[in-house]
Structure formats: structure tokens, C-alpha cells
Amino acid sequence: MFVCLCRLSGFPALTCPPDDRPPPRSTRDELPVGILCFNLETMHVTWNAHDAGGANLTFIYRFAPEPFRPCPSYMLRGGLTAGCVFPARLALLDFSLLDGNITLLNEKHFASQYLQPRAPSNVSFTWRNDGVTVTCTDLPLQGLRYEVQHRSAEDPDWQSREENTCDITVPGLDSERCYDFRARVTTRPSIYGADARPSSWTDVTHWRGARRTESCTAQPAESAFPALSVALGLLTALGVLGLCALARVWKRLLPGVPDPKCSFPGLFDQHDGNFQEWISDTERVAPLPRDGKGQDGGAEEVLLVQLCDAEAQPAPQTEVLCAQSLCLPRRGAQPGDAVALGGFTFLVNEDAYMVL
């Protein structure tokens, strides 16, 4: 056991505490380890157990001049220890990796050499006429730099700006364009060395002017939907106008043909279109002169037809069909008579047939 004597002016000799360093290192090759001091809050020391032949290694550490202590929380990989997580301190870190009683690795480093700051928090954006100011909560550490990056859809790469505090103004932005933003914290190599790492990036946010949007890869929904609605409305209106114009052209080219059923009652439904049979039943007709006026004050034409079939049924001495107190005596159609029926005029020939 190693013993040292410490002498201070005016004080007697004191015996120093025993040296509790691990046993001397073996001749085995050193193991590569990864060291990370997260925000000066937590230390992460990792290793690969397969590089040690698949052994389950033991980790001990101390912040000088404290004594060594075992790892409080191991990280496991494949059932073997692969790292240790323990509280960080702004002091000299001394740690060792042991395989049983054999020391495989013993190193000393300042924890701050492996600093990785926390990512920015409470990031806010203040937009002005031609730029934006990005602010966030400053970390309680010295020697840090705050970086803000932005890009538009036309920019191939990110554009960066850095300040010693998290109050960064990005000028020269177009309020009509959409921009992506992200931020992180870096360290000064002159203070923390080359092994320090920047923080992780914040989530990318998308801004068009003073309004946040979901993405910069497409037009905003509020401007796309009205344009689509207007286009659909125009197409609908053009379709309706086209159908109306087509209907008018069709009507002119192919005018409607009147239905003969309305002009020749009984010709089709009673005689199946046999014109001679229909003439035989309707040969005794008599036109009635215009008489009276309709409700609208105009002359109303009334056609009275009397069927004079002597063999049909007995009739009184004078069979008449009366309308508005005007009666016609029974008389058959004679050759040369003109008969009006349904808006058409027929001429009775000598054979008792009507021709139009």
C-alpha cells in the first residue's frame, strides 16, 4: 500500500488516505471507448464487449480526488455490459474497465472535453418586414454558440447564422416565400477542445411570412382550394351553356313533329290507323260557326260533330247535338261539302270519301 506524508506550514505531518487505484494494467490491447458529457449533467462511457473477447466488464470511476466507485447504471447489449451512465461533474474524470481483477483500460479526461450541449428550447420567431428574429432560452454554460439555419425551396443548401446568445436576426427574407428553420447549440473549440460535440438539431419548422405552415413542398391549402373551386365552377357553367346551345341547334335542325293522334281522334286507338274505316265513322260531321267568346275575351271556335248513323240506335224526330242553345239538324255529308275537323279541312267527293 502506497503511503504519502503531507506537510502544511504550521501543521504536523498527516497521513494521506490509502491509494485505491485498480491493479496495474494488463498487457492486453486497449479497448476503444466512447465518452459523452451531456450538458454537463450526465456522463456516458460506452465500449464494445466483443472487443474484450465477449467478457462481462466492470466499470469504476471517480472525479479526483474522490475515491473510486462502481458504475451506478450499466447499459447492456446482448446480455453483456456495454456502457455506464453516471452523474457528471466539472472536474477530472478517472475511470477504468476491469475484467475480473485485471485492468483492461484506465483513462483520465476532463469531462468538459466531451461536452454535448442540450438542444435549444422555447424557440420563438418574430417576423418583421424583411426578416425574422429567432430567440430561445440560453443555456447556463460558458463558451457556447447558437446557430440558426434556414432555406427555401429554391435554396440547395442550408444558410447559417451564429451568435453568442440565442437572439439571432436573419435578414433578407421574402414574406411571399416559404422557409424551413432549425437551430442548435455549438461549442467553441478554443474552450472545450476538438472532441466536444454540437447539440442535436431542433425539429424543422416551416414558415410562410408570419404564419407557420405544415410544409414548404406544396402551396398552402387555403390558396389551393379556392382556385380549384373557381375552376370547377367555370367548367360547370361552360358545360351548361354548351348543352343549352346544343339543344337550340338540335331543335332548329330537327323541329318537333305533331302527334296525329291529337288531330285525328279515334284513328289510331279505335281503327288501328285504318283511314277508310275512320272516314266511314266520321263522314257525317258539320262545322259550327264561331259563336261566343272565351273567358279571355277572344273568339272561341267550337266544332260540333253529329254522328248520323240510322242503324246505330233510335233517335227522336230531330237528333241534334246542342251547344250554347244552338242545334244542328241531322244531315249527312254531301259531295262537295267542306268539313272542318281538328284544325284540318276535308272535301267530300262523290264516293263519300274525304280528301285533304
Side-chain angles (χ1 to χ4, degrees), residues 146-223:
Y146 297 87
E147 181 181 6
V148 172
Q149 289 189 343
H150 72 280
R151 68 178 179 185
S152 66
E154 293 78 12
D155 296 328
D157 301 316
W158 290 94
Q159 310 296 319
S160 297
R161 293 186 70 88
E162 291 187 24
E163 298 290 347
N164 292 332
T165 60
C166 195
D167 187 356
I168 304 172
T169 299
V170 181
L173 299 183
D174 186 355
S175 60
E176 299 298 327
R177 299 169 67 182
C178 187
Y179 294 91
D180 300 330
F181 287 91
R182 64 181 183 179
R184 69 175 179 178
V185 182
T186 62
T187 60
R188 297 183 187 178
S190 59
I191 297 178
Y192 294 97
D195 293 325
R197 306 177 186 178
S199 73
S200 59
W201 290 102
T202 59
D203 293 336
V204 177
T205 56
H206 315 281
W207 292 82
R208 184 183 298 275
R211 293 196 303 174
R212 188 168 179 174
T213 182
E214 293 295 329
S215 174
C216 285
T217 57
Q219 289 292 332
E222 57 269 20
S223 62

Side-chain angles (χ1 to χ4, degrees), residues 268-335:
F268 296 96
D269 53 355
Q270 296 180 9
H271 300 283
D272 296 328
N274 192 323
F275 194 75
Q276 293 183 358
E277 292 183 2
W278 178 78
I279 285 294
S280 298
D281 288 344
T282 59
E283 63 181 356
R284 295 182 178 88
V285 295
L288 182 66
R290 297 179 181 178
D291 183 34
K293 296 184 178 180
Q295 295 179 358
D296 56 353
E300 180 180 359
E301 181 180 357
V302 179
L303 176 64
L304 300 180
V305 179
Q306 180 180 8
L307 300 179
C308 303
D309 188 356
E311 299 177 357
Q313 59 182 359
Q317 293 180 355
T318 302
E319 295 182 5
V320 294
L321 184 61
C322 301
Q324 299 180 359
S325 302
L326 179 62
C327 299
L328 293 177
R330 178 183 177 188
R331 186 178 70 88
Q334 301 298 323

Side-chain angles (χ1 to χ4, degrees), residues 27-324:
T27 57
R28 189 178 302 184
D29 295 336
E30 293 184 2
L31 294 174
V33 294
I35 305 173
L36 173 65
C37 179
F38 180 72
N39 207 48
L40 285 182
E41 297 173 357
T42 307
M43 295 295 304
H44 298 253
V45 180
T46 58
W47 60 88
N48 190 347
H50 295 287
D51 293 339
N56 205 14
L57 305 183
T58 301
F59 182 85
I60 60 174
Y61 74 99
R62 70 174 180 176
F63 289 101
E66 297 177 353
F68 281 93
R69 62 185 66 186
C71 174
S73 178
Y74 278 106
M75 293 184 288
L76 300 179
R77 183 179 301 166
L80 301 175
T81 57
C84 180
V85 180
F86 53 95
R89 291 179 55 184
L90 193 59
L92 181 65
L93 173 65
D94 186 2
F95 65 88
S96 297
L97 274 175
L98 308 176
D99 183 4
N101 293 327
I102 301 176
T103 302
L104 302 181
L105 180 66
N106 178 239
E107 293 185 4
K108 296 180 181 180
H109 304 279
F110 282 102
S112 58
Q113 288 182 256
Y114 302 93
L115 174 66
Q116 182 182 31
R118 186 187 302 275
S121 59
N122 301 323
V123 181
S124 62
F125 296 78
T126 303
W127 286 85
R128 296 179 175 85
N129 293 333
D130 61 345
V132 60
T133 298
V134 183
T135 58
C136 63
T137 303
D138 288 336
L139 297 177
L141 301 175
Q142 301 296 323
L144 300 181
R145 298 274 291 176
Y146 297 87
E147 181 181 6
V148 172
Q149 289 189 343
H150 72 280
R151 68 178 179 185
S152 66
E154 293 78 12
D155 296 328
D157 301 316
W158 290 94
Q159 310 296 319
S160 297
R161 293 186 70 88
E162 291 187 24
E163 298 290 347
N164 292 332
T165 60
C166 195
D167 187 356
I168 304 172
T169 299
V170 181
L173 299 183
D174 186 355
S175 60
E176 299 298 327
R177 299 169 67 182
C178 187
Y179 294 91
D180 300 330
F181 287 91
R182 64 181 183 179
R184 69 175 179 178
V185 182
T186 62
T187 60
R188 297 183 187 178
S190 59
I191 297 178
Y192 294 97
D195 293 325
R197 306 177 186 178
S199 73
S200 59
W201 290 102
T202 59
D203 293 336
V204 177
T205 56
H206 315 281
W207 292 82
R208 184 183 298 275
R211 293 196 303 174
R212 188 168 179 174
T213 182
E214 293 295 329
S215 174
C216 285
T217 57
Q219 289 292 332
E222 57 269 20
S223 62
F225 282 117
L228 180 61
S229 301
V230 171
L232 292 177
L234 290 176
L235 290 177
T236 303
L238 292 175
V240 172
L241 293 176
L243 290 176
C244 294
L246 181 61
R248 288 195 298 268
V249 172
W250 184 267
K251 185 175 182 181
R252 290 185 178 183
L253 293 177
L254 298 175
V257 179
D259 190 352
K261 292 182 180 180
C262 300
S263 302
F264 304 96
L267 175 60
F268 296 96
D269 53 355
Q270 296 180 9
H271 300 283
D272 296 328
N274 192 323
F275 194 75
Q276 293 183 358
E277 292 183 2
W278 178 78
I279 285 294
S280 298
D281 288 344
T282 59
E283 63 181 356
R284 295 182 178 88
V285 295
L288 182 66
R290 297 179 181 178
D291 183 34
K293 296 184 178 180
Q295 295 179 358
D296 56 353
E300 180 180 359
E301 181 180 357
V302 179
L303 176 64
L304 300 180
V305 179
Q306 180 180 8
L307 300 179
C308 303
D309 188 356
E311 299 177 357
Q313 59 182 359
Q317 293 180 355
T318 302
E319 295 182 5
V320 294
L321 184 61
C322 301
Q324 299 180 359

